[in-house]
Amino acid sequence: MMNISEFQTKDVVNVSDGKKLGMVSDFDINVTTGKIQAVFISGPGKVLGFFGKDEEVIVPWRNIVKIGEDVILVRVNREIDQNSELI
């Protein structure tokens, strides 16, 4: 089991291109099932949601490959649709 605070301290890395996407800033949770639907990633320049790029992307939970001690590995294309969601 993992606390949300532990989740938010990990870097998120795209396994498709090896680039760091940023850190988890928020979650989209289905209140009916209690399951996480997606994670919101703030750009690498942001600190506690402030002081950086205004770029935030949404990664669907199904795209998370592995949650490790230090990083969260995700598999996403770098194409961003109009809603800033990685597809």
Side-chain angles (χ1 to χ4, degrees), residues 56-58 77-87:
E56 186 174 69
V57 294
I58 303 167
N77 293 330
R78 289 301 300 184
E79 296 177 29
I80 301 176
D81 72 8
Q82 296 166 348
N83 297 323
S84 296
E85 184 172 340
L86 288 173
I87 55 174

Side-chain angles (χ1 to χ4, degrees), residues 4 9-10 31 33 35 41 52 56 58 64 69 76 84-85:
I4 289 176
T9 61
K10 299 177 187 301
V31 294
T33 64
K35 293 183 178 183
I41 310 298
E56 186 174 69
I58 303 167
I64 295 178
E69 269 189 53
V76 292
S84 296
E85 184 172 340

Side-chain angles (χ1 to χ4, degrees), residues 39-82:
V39 293
F40 293 77
I41 310 298
S42 60
K46 282 208 161 188
V47 178
L48 298 173
F50 304 105
F51 313 117
K53 295 179 184 174
D54 216 10
E55 191 176 314
E56 186 174 69
V57 294
I58 303 167
V59 177
W61 186 257
R62 68 182 177 276
N63 289 32
I64 295 178
V65 176
K66 179 78 174 171
I67 301 171
E69 269 189 53
D70 300 320
V71 297
I72 299 169
L73 301 176
V74 298
R75 178 167 285 122
V76 292
N77 293 330
R78 289 301 300 184
E79 296 177 29
I80 301 176
D81 72 8
Q82 296 166 348

Side-chain angles (χ1 to χ4, degrees), residues 7-26:
F7 211 88
Q8 292 177 311
T9 61
K10 299 177 187 301
D11 292 325
V12 179
V13 176
N14 186 359
V15 297
S16 296
D17 60 11
K19 291 188 179 181
K20 180 179 171 182
L21 298 176
M23 298 180 85
V24 175
S25 61
D26 207 351

